[in-house]
Amino acid sequence: MVKESILSERSAWKALAPWLAVFVLLLLAPRFLPRFQVYLTGLILTTGLLAVSLNLVLGLGGMYQFHHAVFYGIGAYTVALVITKTALSPWIGFLLAPVVSALFSLAIGLICVRLSKLYFGMLQISLGSLVWAVVFRWYSFTGGDDGIHGISVPGIISSTDGAYYFSLILTAICLIVMQRIVNSPFGRSFQAVRDNPVRSEAVGINVKRVQLTGMVISGAFAGIAGSMFVVIEGSVFPELMFWTLSLEIIIMCLLGGWFTFLGPMLGAAIIVLLRTVVGIYTEYWTIVLGLVLMLLILFLPQGVLGYFLESYKRGGGKAVQEER
Amino acid sequence: MLLVENLQKSFDGFMAVSDARLEVEKGEVVAVIGPNGAGKTTLFNLITGQLRADGGRILFKGENIAGLSPYLICRKGIGRSFQVVNIFSRLTVFENVRVAVMSCNKRTFSLFSKAKETSVYETGEILKSLGLTEKADRISGSLSHGDQKVLEIAIALGNRPELLILDEPTAGMSPEETRDTLELMKLLSRERGITILFCEHDMELVFSIANRIMVMQRGRTIIQGEPDVVRNDTHVQEAYLGGADEGI
Amino acid sequence: MDFASNITISALFQQALVGLSRTTILFIVASGLSLILGVLRIPNVAHGSLYMIGAFIMYSVNHFFGGGQAGFWMAVLLSPVAVALISLAVERGLFQYLYEREHLMLLLFTFSITLVFGDLVKMVWGSDYRCVDLPAAFQGFFTILGFPFPRYNLFLIIIGPVVAFGLWFLTNKTRIGKIARAAAVDREMVGAIGINVSLVFAAVFVIGCFLAGLGGALVAPTQNIRQGMDHAIIIEAFLIVIMGGLGNIWGALLGALIFGLTDSIGILVWPQFAIVFPYVVVVIALLFCPKGLLKSTW
């Protein structure tokens, strides 16, 4: 038993090593990348964190979280409003972002969680759109459709490199915490609820409460991602919580593969890069995204990472099964 | 321990259970028998809360549990298995049972501890006692039907139930597997002192293990009594022989 | 804030009538969505795009015929048909191969269609606002109880019940309607008795999209036709369908009515956040009836 645990610890280090390498590489990135690419990497990390946080409920919990961007937007607006409308320290804004997002998650979750899967998703899209509509029209408070620009974040994180390091470190911490949650008893129970809610209920699990908890956690991380966006862009606007962005995040999860923890991060990277590259050549970015999505659904439903993992695993039992 | 009185349930006007009565004493093994469609599974679903009764009472240890959510009923000490295999088919066998054990140990909402180190011993013991240790790392959806039915019971045991409800535990099993399950039920009853309530079509099995038998027909309880009494009851013979069109 | 200061009986009455004509549009769009949702179990996000395309085609056809009476009627008739044909192509070309997939995949697929259509509309019609002029017969006002009321809005109010009745007739009294309802409940069973379920689905999908096109065509003269009108309507339609009860035509009508009225009355009460009122009503409705106000018919 003791020997086993040492072994597993060693293999854990082995598994961790590549990630450490990636982290160090990312730490050094500003030294050899031009400014725009540093900015882009920061944006990828932010969007990636958002996608991973969505996957917590979508992939792990099997819930149709159709309007995740709302919680992202709320996090971003919380920081922006604390900085521009109050005399509080900006850092308080960063602390408040996940809290406010979690509270909105709780409120929307309480209304939606009683409904069955598809209904849940549709109602969530609708309620999220209400939040968007209010933000969109409340000129005196949120800046309406213009949003808020020129938000001055604390000096240490205001430069491109500063913003990058802020998002990198925050992303790393969040990923570690989320990874921990995925592998916690709660994470396993959440998975069980996804697999079979009826049976979960029969073994004493309060299914609605598990789902609500999952939503709140995921919303909080989306809020953190939103606060990172403010640091990187220095502005917020209602598009951050428009429903099409939510579906775009779902595409990222699908693209990367939602049965893997970091798949959505990969998906986010692909989408953000694709948008940047396509944006150079044409204004018709959405048609490209649409066609990519179509091809993905038709030919690669388990995602890019999922596809490679599957071909890698082939022969050793089909662990990654398609959800019905 | 369990007392069911005048229980009723209808679906869109069809009375699935019209007047069910049942009594289970602590330590007993009680069987529910009856033709297909007699309302046995509906009765079990009413007891464990998957369905909500239209009328009647369900007393567990003197407390009315009718209308409670399934998870609350489970926490009061009633575990169950399902007739149609109802497991976490994408999780491993080990995780299937561990989920139940963690729930019982109130660890479901532990966010930052490691699931890998939670409830390992207990889960292992349950798997060992049911002979599933070797298959612990298999994805449960890939098991044979017989093994899945055993896993059903293993999950139910994860909640350390005082009353274990088994809905046709041997349905679809081979004769050997049926024999093993019978031995398992005896073991659970005698050595662990778990009270068992089950329904079953295999009359040989029913009469070889049950202390008391309850007979249902068309949603009603005809009789509940000792095996010999039930065997010689004219109503029961009528229900089974007279109702031949419904099959046994 | 001049909160509620401008509410008079006259304004209330007029807004109610405006709300009723809005109801017609919402109902026509939402009932199409509801039909597809009820039978195919797909929340068709592309429904909004088809509505937008319907409005743009209405503009082009009307323009082609030089406006006036002829242009208007040709456009109202042709644009839903054109939308239906587009949807038929999408369904037969792509969608029919995906019915076995998970709901989420189907939703995302309809979203991909939305993305593609959004840009195609931009390519064909550009990103300018377009307007459709009403023929003379529809211009001007009727006077109802002493209040002026736009003629076209009255026309819309009449169209609503007509479409509702037509749909009811289609789903309850015709063979295809009955088959569709049966297929909604049990796909395999209907397939087993020798009916081509795939074709039934195609028919339902096309009819639903036809309604989206009709809604777009009818709304065109009342507002600017522009990019993004697809995004707003689909959320409203979702909400109406959820409130009314899945797949229930009368539910969609009731939902549209509640939505249209609360929205238009809300504009009087609190112009800036009129949008909030329908949502509040929906949330309250769902707290009491989580499955919608009316029972889903299938």
Side-chain angles (χ1 to χ4, degrees):
Chain A
M1 205 72 180
V2 178
K3 207 173 183 183
E4 232 168 63
S5 74
I6 291 172
L7 267 180
S8 73
E9 209 134 276
R10 196 173 294 163
S11 67
W13 274 112
K14 225 175 194 174
L16 211 58
W19 298 118
L20 271 176
V22 169
F23 182 71
V24 170
L25 211 63
L26 284 171
L27 268 182
L28 297 174
R31 294 194 156 252
F32 52 82
L33 284 184
R35 243 179 82 173
F36 177 72
Q37 287 173 20
V38 171
Y39 153 83
L40 205 59
T41 314
L43 200 60
I44 287 174
L45 289 172
T46 306
T47 320
L49 177 61
L50 178 63
V52 175
S53 75
L54 168 65
N55 204 40
L56 216 54
V57 269
L58 190 73
L60 191 70
M63 295 169 72
Y64 283 0
Q65 175 102 338
F66 285 170
H67 210 339
H68 194 57
V70 163
F71 311 117
Y72 179 58
I74 287 171
Y77 268 93
T78 304
V79 172
L81 290 173
V82 165
I83 292 177
T84 55
K85 300 271 168 179
T86 70
L88 296 171
S89 153
W91 298 109
I92 293 194
F94 291 108
L95 287 179
L96 274 178
V99 176
V100 177
S101 290
L103 286 177
F104 270 86
S105 266
L106 183 65
I108 290 180
L110 277 173
I111 297 169
C112 297
V113 86
R114 301 191 310 155
L115 306 187
S116 60
K117 263 189 153 179
L118 262 183
Y119 263 90
F120 171 92
M122 287 167 65
L123 185 61
Q124 199 195 34
I125 269 202
S126 306
L127 291 178
S129 299
L130 173 65
V131 177
W132 170 82
V134 169
V135 168
F136 191 80
R137 287 168 199 213
W138 200 350
Y139 283 93
S140 58
F141 187 58
T142 61
D145 56 353
D146 297 332
I148 304 169
H149 298 275
I151 302 160
S152 53
V153 296
I156 185 168
I157 53 173
S158 62
S159 68
T160 308
D161 285 4
Y164 172 75
Y165 281 120
F166 178 77
S167 56
L168 176 62
I169 287 164
L170 217 50
T171 304
I173 294 171
C174 287
L175 287 182
I176 290 167
V177 175
M178 275 195 270
Q179 163 83 20
R180 189 94 198 210
I181 290 174
V182 168
N183 290 313
S184 72
F186 172 78
R188 294 298 158 88
S189 306
F190 203 19
Q191 250 173 317
V193 167
R194 173 198 69 195
D195 249 24
N196 192 337
V198 174
R199 188 50 153 156
S200 301
E201 191 107 337
V203 297
I205 295 174
N206 185 343
V207 167
K208 301 285 175 236
R209 208 175 128 195
V210 167
Q211 292 180 327
L212 204 54
T213 310
M215 266 188 82
V216 169
I217 292 170
S218 150
F221 283 111
I224 295 176
S227 68
M228 280 158 51
F229 181 85
V230 178
V231 174
I232 291 173
E233 292 282 348
S235 55
V236 293
F237 30 83
E239 283 74 22
L240 283 180
M241 47 175 94
F242 198 56
W243 64 267
T244 52
L245 177 62
S246 286
L247 294 189
E248 257 179 64
I249 314 166
I250 298 180
I251 299 174
M252 293 170 195
C253 293
L254 174 67
L255 189 60
W258 40 42
F259 297 117
T260 48
F261 179 68
L262 284 175
M265 183 66 97
L266 179 69
I270 296 173
I271 296 278
V272 172
L273 288 176
L274 202 61
R275 177 173 17 214
T276 313
V277 173
V278 172
I280 297 170
Y281 298 103
T282 168
E283 60 172 311
Y284 299 112
W285 148 246
T286 55
I287 199 168
V288 175
L289 180 64
L291 291 173
V292 167
L293 177 57
M294 266 185 202
L295 294 175
L296 193 65
I297 292 169
L298 286 171
F299 301 113
L300 212 67
Q302 69 276 62
V304 175
L305 201 57
Y307 174 76
F308 285 119
L309 282 179
E310 188 132 312
S311 25
Y312 173 75
K313 265 191 210 160
R314 201 158 288 160
K318 203 180 172 201
V320 187
Q321 284 182 340
E322 235 181 277
E323 197 176 0
R324 270 167 295 149
Chain B
M1 185 181 231
L2 181 74
L3 186 66
V4 175
E5 294 176 333
N6 300 325
L7 206 62
Q8 291 167 4
K9 176 72 187 176
S10 65
F11 299 106
D12 290 328
F14 167 69
M15 282 295 251
V17 171
S18 53
D19 180 17
R21 297 152 190 283
L22 178 66
E23 196 189 348
V24 182
E25 296 291 342
K26 192 169 171 53
E28 267 190 322
V29 176
V30 175
V32 176
I33 61 171
N36 278 329
K40 301 179 300 271
T41 295
T42 308
L43 171 66
F44 285 0
N45 283 339
L46 288 169
I47 295 173
T48 53
Q50 271 77 28
L51 295 172
R52 201 169 276 246
D54 299 331
R57 291 203 303 167
I58 306 167
L59 296 180
F60 181 63
K61 293 193 279 185
E63 186 186 350
N64 192 0
I65 56 168
L68 291 182
S69 296
Y71 72 91
L72 290 173
I73 292 171
C74 171
R75 288 179 196 174
K76 298 210 180 286
I78 304 181
R80 72 166 292 179
S81 77
F82 290 79
Q83 181 184 356
V84 179
V85 169
N86 195 357
I87 55 179
F88 306 105
S89 54
R90 286 203 314 210
L91 305 185
T92 63
V93 169
F94 195 86
E95 292 299 344
N96 264 270
V97 178
R98 171 148 60 190
V99 163
V101 176
M102 286 191 307
S103 156
C104 184
N105 293 345
K106 305 212 178 321
R107 297 296 300 276
T108 299
F109 288 95
S110 301
L111 282 174
F112 300 109
S113 58
K114 287 184 183 163
K116 270 192 180 155
E117 293 160 8
T118 309
S119 313
V120 179
Y121 178 74
E122 229 178 316
T123 308
E125 286 297 301
I126 291 171
L127 291 179
K128 205 195 286 174
S129 66
L130 271 70
L132 286 171
T133 310
E134 308 233 310
K135 291 156 187 147
D137 292 328
R138 293 263 303 271
I139 298 291
S140 66
S142 69
L143 293 179
S144 71
H145 178 77
D147 282 338
Q148 290 185 344
K149 288 294 278 188
V150 176
L151 179 59
E152 271 282 341
I153 301 177
I155 296 171
L157 288 176
N159 289 103
R160 289 197 293 271
E162 293 172 59
L163 170 64
L164 180 62
I165 298 181
L166 304 174
D167 193 351
E168 299 200 19
T170 67
M173 278 188 171
S174 67
E176 299 93 78
E177 288 168 335
T178 304
R179 214 176 314 124
D180 289 347
T181 306
L182 179 65
E183 290 308 313
L184 173 67
M185 285 167 68
K186 282 181 180 161
L187 182 98
L188 291 175
S189 167
R190 282 176 205 154
E191 294 185 11
R192 303 250 194 109
I194 298 175
T195 312
I196 297 177
L197 170 66
F198 72 108
C199 75
E200 186 54 65
H201 280 299
D202 184 337
M203 286 306 135
E204 206 180 317
L205 188 146
V206 168
F207 280 95
S208 70
I209 186 173
N211 305 117
R212 286 200 291 167
I213 297 172
M214 187 269 250
V215 186
M216 278 185 95
Q217 187 195 14
R218 299 207 180 95
R220 295 175 167 278
T221 297
I222 306 181
I223 185 177
Q224 178 175 6
E226 318 255 304
D228 283 338
V229 178
V230 169
R231 200 186 312 233
N232 298 319
D233 186 88
T234 49
H235 287 102
V236 175
Q237 288 173 353
E238 226 169 80
Y240 270 80
L241 302 172
D245 53 83
E246 289 174 292
I248 294 179
Chain C
M1 190 172 292
D2 55 342
F3 197 81
S5 64
N6 50 352
I7 302 178
T8 61
I9 297 292
S10 143
L12 207 61
F13 183 77
Q14 270 180 316
Q15 275 308 114
L17 285 174
V18 169
L20 281 178
S21 48
R22 178 91 187 124
T23 296
T24 292
I25 305 290
L26 291 172
F27 164 68
I28 290 173
V29 177
S31 61
L33 185 73
S34 183
L35 196 66
I36 295 174
L37 192 63
V39 178
L40 280 70
R41 300 284 142 100
I42 304 165
N44 180 18
V45 179
H47 211 66
S49 307
L50 295 168
Y51 164 86
M52 175 170 73
I53 291 175
F56 272 106
I57 293 179
M58 160 86 190
Y59 163 81
S60 292
V61 174
N62 185 50
H63 194 71
F64 179 80
F65 284 98
Q69 214 47 282
F72 175 80
W73 287 109
M74 285 307 279
V76 165
L77 291 176
L78 282 181
S79 74
V81 172
V83 169
L85 287 176
I86 293 171
S87 69
L88 183 67
V90 170
E91 202 277 343
R92 286 291 97 182
L94 296 167
F95 223 75
Q96 62 159 324
Y97 303 109
L98 294 167
Y99 286 138
E100 296 307 312
R101 295 286 187 83
E102 224 199 315
H103 292 311
L104 188 52
M105 290 294 185
L106 292 171
L107 173 104
L108 286 177
F109 198 78
T110 60
F111 181 58
S112 74
I113 296 170
T114 307
L115 294 172
V116 171
F117 279 179
D119 264 1
L120 284 180
V121 167
K122 210 197 287 181
M123 288 174 189
V124 176
W125 283 282
S127 19
D128 298 332
Y129 285 18
R130 300 297 167 102
C131 295
V132 171
D133 287 328
L134 281 168
F138 283 130
Q139 285 176 1
F141 296 85
F142 284 118
T143 308
I144 300 171
L145 298 172
F147 305 117
F149 190 69
R151 290 185 181 191
Y152 187 68
N153 288 33
L154 207 65
F155 168 69
L156 286 180
I157 292 175
I158 295 164
I159 287 281
V162 172
V163 172
F165 178 77
L167 260 182
W168 172 80
F169 190 82
L170 191 71
T171 50
N172 286 283
K173 297 289 163 191
T174 63
R175 192 175 135 78
I176 181 146
K178 285 174 184 166
I179 295 173
R181 279 169 46 197
V185 178
D186 193 339
R187 227 170 261 201
E188 274 92 39
M189 196 58 215
V190 173
I193 57 172
I195 292 167
N196 188 338
V197 181
S198 172
L199 280 183
V200 174
F201 279 11
V204 169
F205 189 76
V206 168
I207 292 168
C209 295
F210 175 89
L211 289 168
L214 182 64
L218 288 174
V219 86
T222 66
Q223 65 179 63
N224 290 323
I225 306 164
R226 55 182 176 77
Q227 303 283 318
M229 63 190 280
D230 53 340
H231 294 322
I233 189 85
I234 187 68
I235 300 296
E236 290 171 356
F238 268 10
L239 211 57
I240 287 165
V241 169
I242 297 169
M243 177 161 56
L246 182 78
N248 186 328
I249 291 165
W250 304 114
L253 186 59
L254 182 65
L257 195 65
I258 293 173
F259 197 103
L261 284 181
T262 45
D263 193 38
S264 60
I265 303 285
I267 288 173
L268 282 183
V269 181
W270 198 9
Q272 195 182 6
F273 294 113
I275 183 76
V276 174
F277 293 93
Y279 280 90
V280 172
V281 174
V282 170
V283 169
I284 292 172
L286 284 175
L287 287 182
F288 292 103
C289 335
K291 301 243 160 197
L293 291 173
L294 298 184
K295 197 169 181 280
S296 60
T297 47
W298 28 52

